[in-house]
Amino acid sequence: MQSQTPCAAVDPSLSPQSSVIEDIDACVVLFEAISSPNPARCLRLAAEAIGIAAAQDRPDAEMKLRYFTGFAHNLVSEFSASLEMMESAKQLANQLDDQAWEGRILKGLGVLHTNVGEYATAIELLETALSIRRAQGDISGVAATLNNLAHAFICLSSFDEKAEELLQEAHSLCLSVGNHGLASITNMNLAEVTLARAEHLAQAQAPQSVEVAAAAATRAGKAVLQADSQKNLQIGVVARLILAQAQVLAGDAVAASQTLTWVQEHLVETSSPIIELDFQIAMCRWLRLKDQTTLAVANLVLAKQRLGDAVQGNKRLRLLQELVSAQEASSDHRSALATFREMHTYTLQQRDNATERRALLLNARMALDRARQSAELERLRADRLEQRNTILTHEANADALTGLPNRRALEQALASLLADPSAHFSCAIADLDHFKRINDSWSHLVGDEVLRRIGALLHAGLRPGDVVARFGGEEFVILLPGTSLVEATAVTERVRQAIEAAPWSDLQPGLTVTISIGIAQAEQADGFDTLLARADTQLYAAKSLGRNRECATPPSDERRRRSAPPKQP
């Protein structure tokens, strides 16, 4: 039996119309509670609940709901739908970087692949889940995953020793954290593995079969005690059925009779066709031990008719195998041959069904891969478009030669400052001195390199938040937010000195480069043209005074104060 995580208690009276669907956290608790015992109800609620989680932008809740829905699909053999739900849950876990839930979801995927017979894939998924849960320190989760991994190895056949090793570790971990419910399941699985080994030895008429059967009975007995202490009737019944078969194989008919009597008294409370089948098989073996083979055959035939299609897969094959053995033991070889033929036909059908299930799962996986690839391509296209837009935006707002903002970007920055009535800033226009002479004397290539270096020096000499743009030709405009005229003059003087002192001779021997700067402080009445015009007037003044300097326009109130006639004494 594969282990399941214990569920939180939820009021089972809640209906699909209940407000629990609107309360998404309560809905998650509900799904955890009903996904195993009532998968049909879980699936009825799934689409609405998942949609609400997505609408409320709750990827954590959506991830859990998708996992429980996938778990429910698996229980009703809807394997493709289960794969789709669990893979989408895993994707959300990765996006949320939720490793605890990633480990749980991988465990669920491992169980799914075990159920469709893809044991190698199942083992790989379960081993990955095991690594994650070990890293998380989730002891109960590790034990549950070990239990599922052991089941996958059991299904592979010839790996009973590996399965037993995993179950032993799982059982020790369960006891270490006081998880007696999972411990009883693990002990029961250990007993079942030991019983299978005893049966193989008995078929080979090996004398040690009785000793191994006794060991299986001891383990099953421990599982019974643990299940009873947890008041888990279903596990208690299943463990007793394993115990009864081990007692029969060990030749203890009296003990087996007592065990089977207890099971028969509680069988109706489990309402499970599979458990009823296991009971009939155990009863058949006990009757054969008591030399009541004819009654054993009759009971199995009646059980086969009564259970009908309610029992499928390996359990049905086990019923047919047991019936063949009982019919042969009663010397009814004709009936045994007919049952054997039925078993052979059913085996072929099962192989075809398994192949079809694997094909459906493969198609579903390929569809998911295609969807993921399509989403990745769309993401890459969006990234490339965003990068291209960024490049185009930069190219539209940057000067190709210097890399500084261009006139368009300057107009946007200046408009933003002018639109803010509380903005306090200064504006400067810098112009290279005798730039035409540089082009004429040393070529336009040298002139272009001079402009590039000037741009770099201006950018390096300004403060964070200042803006420098190439305005055109050899002119540059500097915006100095939060700066008075005196402060602006200090900043531009520092830049001017840096340009004058730069090692221009390494570009061309004898080359010197200087700039002249005109500065104006912005006023509320200023627009783009008026502010630049006042700065340009000061630039002209700096040129007239001999170049390689800056001149500044005082604010209008200062100009008015200076131009007013002196007061009469």
Side-chain angles (χ1 to χ4, degrees):
M1 177 177 288
Q2 299 203 54
S3 59
Q4 300 170 5
T5 303
C7 300
V10 172
D11 182 0
S13 65
L14 289 170
S15 67
Q17 290 76 31
S18 172
S19 61
V20 73
I21 294 296
E22 297 296 334
D23 183 347
I24 205 64
D25 291 313
C27 188
V28 169
V29 175
L30 172 66
F31 269 52
E32 184 171 13
I34 67 174
S35 59
S36 178
N38 196 346
R41 184 182 175 207
C42 179
L43 296 177
R44 284 197 304 272
L45 299 173
E48 181 184 359
I50 291 170
I52 291 173
Q56 293 181 3
D57 193 23
R58 287 288 308 277
D60 57 326
E62 184 182 353
M63 169 191 69
K64 296 171 186 177
L65 291 170
R66 286 183 175 276
Y67 167 74
F68 292 128
T69 303
F71 188 86
H73 277 301
N74 183 25
L75 290 178
V76 297
S77 301
E78 295 174 352
F79 300 119
S80 297
S82 176
L83 177 66
E84 182 179 354
M85 278 293 172
M86 287 202 182
E87 284 287 353
S88 62
K90 181 161 73 77
Q91 187 174 0
L92 287 169
N94 290 335
Q95 292 172 3
L96 294 167
D97 195 24
D98 191 333
Q99 292 191 341
W101 266 92
E102 182 186 0
R104 186 171 183 177
I105 294 164
L106 286 171
K107 171 182 169 289
L109 283 166
V111 173
L112 166 64
H113 284 80
T114 300
N115 289 345
V116 298
E118 288 196 338
Y119 302 122
T121 302
I123 288 169
E124 182 180 353
L125 288 165
L126 290 166
E127 286 180 340
T128 304
L130 187 61
S131 297
I132 292 174
R133 293 187 134 180
R134 286 191 195 278
Q136 292 285 308
D138 180 6
I139 303 301
S140 290
V142 168
T145 308
L146 285 168
N147 196 61
N148 296 127
L149 186 57
H151 180 74
F153 276 111
I154 291 169
C155 291
L156 272 174
S157 301
S158 304
F159 285 92
D160 287 353
E161 289 185 3
K162 177 64 176 177
E164 187 171 0
E165 175 188 334
L166 295 170
L167 289 169
Q168 289 280 18
E169 182 185 357
H171 186 254
S172 297
L173 290 174
C174 290
L175 294 179
S176 71
V177 295
N179 191 338
H180 297 290
L182 186 55
S184 65
I185 295 174
T186 307
N187 232 342
M188 182 180 68
N189 289 339
L190 273 167
E192 194 168 20
V193 170
T194 310
L195 177 62
R197 187 184 308 122
E199 288 174 344
H200 292 152
L201 291 170
Q203 289 173 0
Q205 297 183 343
Q208 62 266 41
S209 64
V210 173
E211 180 183 349
V212 176
T218 300
R219 283 178 169 172
K222 290 179 180 178
V224 166
L225 292 174
Q226 289 171 327
D228 289 351
S229 69
Q230 295 294 303
K231 294 182 170 50
N232 191 326
L233 176 63
Q234 186 166 354
I235 298 301
V237 169
V238 175
R240 281 179 171 86
L241 288 171
I242 296 171
L243 173 60
Q245 292 176 71
Q247 289 167 337
V248 168
L249 201 57
D252 191 347
V254 175
S257 175
Q258 294 172 348
T259 304
L260 288 170
T261 299
W262 188 97
V263 171
Q264 189 171 26
E265 291 172 353
H266 295 83
L267 196 61
V268 68
E269 299 175 54
T270 63
S271 65
S272 168
I274 292 176
I275 292 178
E276 183 181 350
L277 170 63
D278 287 339
F279 170 74
Q280 294 298 340
I281 289 174
M283 182 63 75
C284 170
R285 293 181 177 181
W286 178 77
L287 288 170
R288 288 175 60 187
L289 180 64
K290 299 283 289 179
D291 292 326
Q292 299 180 33
T293 308
T294 302
L295 182 56
V297 171
N299 283 351
L300 284 179
V301 170
L302 287 174
K304 177 173 172 286
Q305 293 171 349
R306 184 171 61 255
L307 293 173
D309 294 333
V311 176
Q312 296 293 327
N314 290 335
K315 288 292 185 180
R316 187 171 185 84
L317 282 174
R318 189 177 174 207
L319 168 63
L320 294 173
Q321 287 171 344
E322 199 69 33
L323 183 55
V324 168
S325 298
Q327 288 167 336
E328 287 179 336
S330 66
S331 301
D332 187 356
H333 300 295
R334 177 173 296 181
S335 297
L337 179 60
T339 304
F340 180 81
R341 286 173 176 168
E342 181 183 352
M343 183 176 68
H344 177 68
T345 301
Y346 187 76
T347 300
L348 295 178
Q349 290 175 351
Q350 286 297 102
R351 289 178 181 174
D352 291 342
N353 291 340
T355 301
E356 183 179 357
R357 287 196 301 269
R358 286 193 288 270
L360 288 172
L361 198 65
L362 178 60
N363 287 336
R365 190 183 300 119
M366 291 173 64
L368 287 171
D369 289 341
R370 285 194 297 270
R372 277 196 292 264
Q373 290 170 3
S374 178
E376 180 64 14
L377 287 174
E378 188 60 33
R379 186 190 66 78
L380 290 173
R381 278 196 293 268
D383 287 347
R384 284 196 295 268
L385 181 60
E386 184 178 354
Q387 292 170 2
R388 182 58 181 160
N389 288 338
T390 301
I391 293 170
L392 290 173
T393 301
H394 175 74
E395 291 176 347
N397 292 283
D399 174 58
L401 180 64
T402 63
L404 295 175
N406 59 15
R407 178 167 181 152
R408 181 173 181 271
L410 171 68
E411 290 175 352
Q412 293 174 350
L414 187 52
S416 177
L417 287 170
L418 291 171
D420 183 1
S422 64
H424 172 66
F425 69 98
S426 296
C427 174
I429 299 180
D431 184 84
L432 271 68
D433 297 329
H434 303 299
F435 185 64
K436 185 176 183 303
R437 186 185 303 169
I438 293 174
N439 281 335
D440 293 344
S441 300
W442 283 287
S443 80
H444 286 277
L445 291 176
V446 173
D448 287 348
E449 180 59 25
V450 168
L451 289 172
R452 275 191 286 268
R453 294 191 183 188
I454 289 291
L457 288 166
L458 287 170
H459 180 73
L462 297 179
R463 307 160 304 174
D466 294 341
V467 177
V468 57
R470 187 181 178 196
F471 195 54
E474 65 270 25
E475 279 191 335
F476 299 84
V477 174
I478 304 169
L479 302 178
L480 303 163
T483 307
S484 68
L485 203 62
V486 173
E487 293 168 332
T489 302
V491 173
T492 55
E493 172 60 15
R494 185 173 65 248
V495 171
R496 185 200 65 76
Q497 290 177 3
I499 291 172
E500 182 182 19
W504 297 104
S505 58
D506 68 349
L507 181 58
Q508 285 293 333
L511 174 63
T512 59
V513 179
T514 60
I515 61 168
S516 299
I517 305 172
I519 312 167
Q521 187 171 352
E523 300 177 358
Q524 287 190 356
D526 272 328
F528 183 86
D529 293 332
T530 58
L531 179 58
L532 290 180
R534 290 195 291 110
D536 194 53
T537 299
Q538 294 307 302
L539 174 62
Y540 181 77
K543 295 282 189 182
S544 300
L545 291 173
R547 296 179 171 83
N548 193 23
R549 70 192 64 227
E550 66 275 330
C551 287
T553 300
S556 56
D557 56 347
E558 178 66 16
R559 293 198 300 274
R560 283 194 296 272
R561 188 185 65 77
R562 289 181 181 179
S563 61
K567 294 182 179 180
Q568 296 297 324

